[in-house]
Amino acid sequence: DAGVIQSPRHEVTEMGQEVTLRCKPISGHNSLFWYRQTMMRGLELLIYFNNNVPIDDSGMPEDRFSAKMPNASFSTLKIQPSEPRDSAVYFCASSPPSFHQGSNQPQHFGDGTRLSIL
Amino acid sequence: KNQVEQSPQSLIILEGKNCTLQCNYTVSPFSNLRWYKQDTGRGPVSLTIMTFSENTKSNGRYTATLDADTKQSSLHITASQLSDSASYICVVANSGNTPLVFGKGTRLSVIA
């Protein structure tokens, strides 16, 4: 099994530019999560999809952030326009079918995209 | 407020020694508690998941305990190895659709 695949692994761009992060979940998993990790705040959930439908986007910081899941094997997280405070590691995770986040199914994380906004 | 607090923030131990990491939480209603290991530059990897009725669970040299009454968990690492150097993150889930609550992790360094 290839695991959760994220791309790119690293992204460096100037503020104001559009950034698109990509994620391919594990085949058969129907829940997908986007997280942001910083030293100060640790891991924070941004948005959670179940069967390609956004269930909880309360963690999305502001309108500059958007996420889509057009099909079961692909998701994107977009930041437009980007700002220096968006610099962080962004993780995608997927889990097997479950009714809600509190289920006992483990989440499988990708290796993240390290984003630097100059 | 749902919170997960981990201690210590960081820890350095000699190879071969044991150590215990602590996690206190205020998440309610409780569904399960998870411990993840995160190597530098990698995503977190699940070590254990414990429900309300479980008070101990092992995964190799890792043993997690849960006291649902006092809302405390610990992760005990036996006979530490250099490869145990990582961040260990405690995560608590509640029974509904609200987000998982993450601790900020304990950074463990195992030295020769």
Side-chain angles (χ1 to χ4, degrees):
Chain A
D1 195 341
V4 175
I5 299 174
Q6 292 187 247
S7 64
R9 286 299 312 275
H10 304 274
E11 175 89 13
V12 181
T13 191
E14 293 184 344
M15 65 177 292
Q17 298 297 309
E18 178 179 290
V19 173
T20 300
L21 311 181
R22 297 172 176 80
C23 175
K24 177 178 169 54
I26 293 173
S27 177
H29 285 190
N30 74 335
S31 294
L32 183 139
F33 308 81
W34 281 102
Y35 291 94
R36 178 171 66 179
Q37 187 177 41
T38 61
M39 289 290 290
M40 288 294 294
R41 301 171 70 92
L43 270 165
E44 300 174 285
L45 177 70
L46 299 177
I47 187 169
Y48 151 51
F49 292 87
N50 196 32
N51 292 324
N52 312 337
V53 175
I55 302 300
D56 182 359
D57 66 354
S58 60
M60 296 287 262
E62 47 198 275
D63 292 345
R64 296 184 297 106
F65 285 69
S66 62
K68 294 182 180 180
M69 193 165 185
N71 57 62
S73 59
F74 184 66
S75 177
T76 59
L77 177 67
K78 188 173 291 188
I79 308 173
Q80 167 64 19
S82 57
E83 297 182 3
R85 60 193 168 114
D86 301 330
S87 298
V89 182
Y90 290 81
F91 286 102
C92 175
S94 69
S95 69
S98 61
F99 291 107
H100 52 74
Q101 286 192 68
S103 79
N104 295 342
Q105 298 288 0
Q107 292 186 6
H108 299 259
F109 284 77
D111 283 335
T113 295
R114 182 172 294 277
L115 177 64
S116 298
I117 308 297
L118 306 177
Chain B
K1 183 179 177 184
N2 290 327
Q3 284 186 313
V4 174
E5 300 286 342
Q6 292 187 245
S7 62
Q9 201 170 10
S10 61
L11 183 62
I12 301 174
I13 62 172
L14 290 175
E15 185 180 14
K17 297 296 186 184
N18 304 335
C19 68
T20 300
L21 314 180
Q22 299 290 342
C23 173
N24 296 337
Y25 62 93
T26 59
V27 178
S28 181
F30 175 88
S31 176
N32 60 73
L33 184 145
R34 312 162 183 215
W35 283 94
Y36 283 87
K37 177 187 179 189
Q38 185 176 19
D39 292 316
T40 300
R42 306 297 301 273
V45 174
S46 180
L47 293 175
T48 63
I49 299 177
M50 287 187 294
T51 61
F52 185 89
S53 59
E54 298 173 297
N55 55 22
T56 187
K57 185 169 270 190
S58 292
N59 178 356
R61 294 178 297 102
Y62 300 101
T63 298
T65 65
L66 173 64
D67 186 334
D69 291 331
T70 61
K71 297 187 177 181
Q72 295 180 324
S73 176
S74 65
L75 181 69
H76 186 75
I77 304 175
T78 304
S80 60
Q81 300 176 357
L82 298 178
S83 60
D84 292 331
S85 295
S87 287
Y88 291 84
I89 302 171
C90 177
V91 186
V92 181
N94 67 17
S95 306
N97 237 3
T98 52
L100 299 174
V101 185
F102 286 77
K104 292 187 178 177
T106 293
R107 178 71 203 172
L108 174 66
S109 298
V110 181
I111 60 175

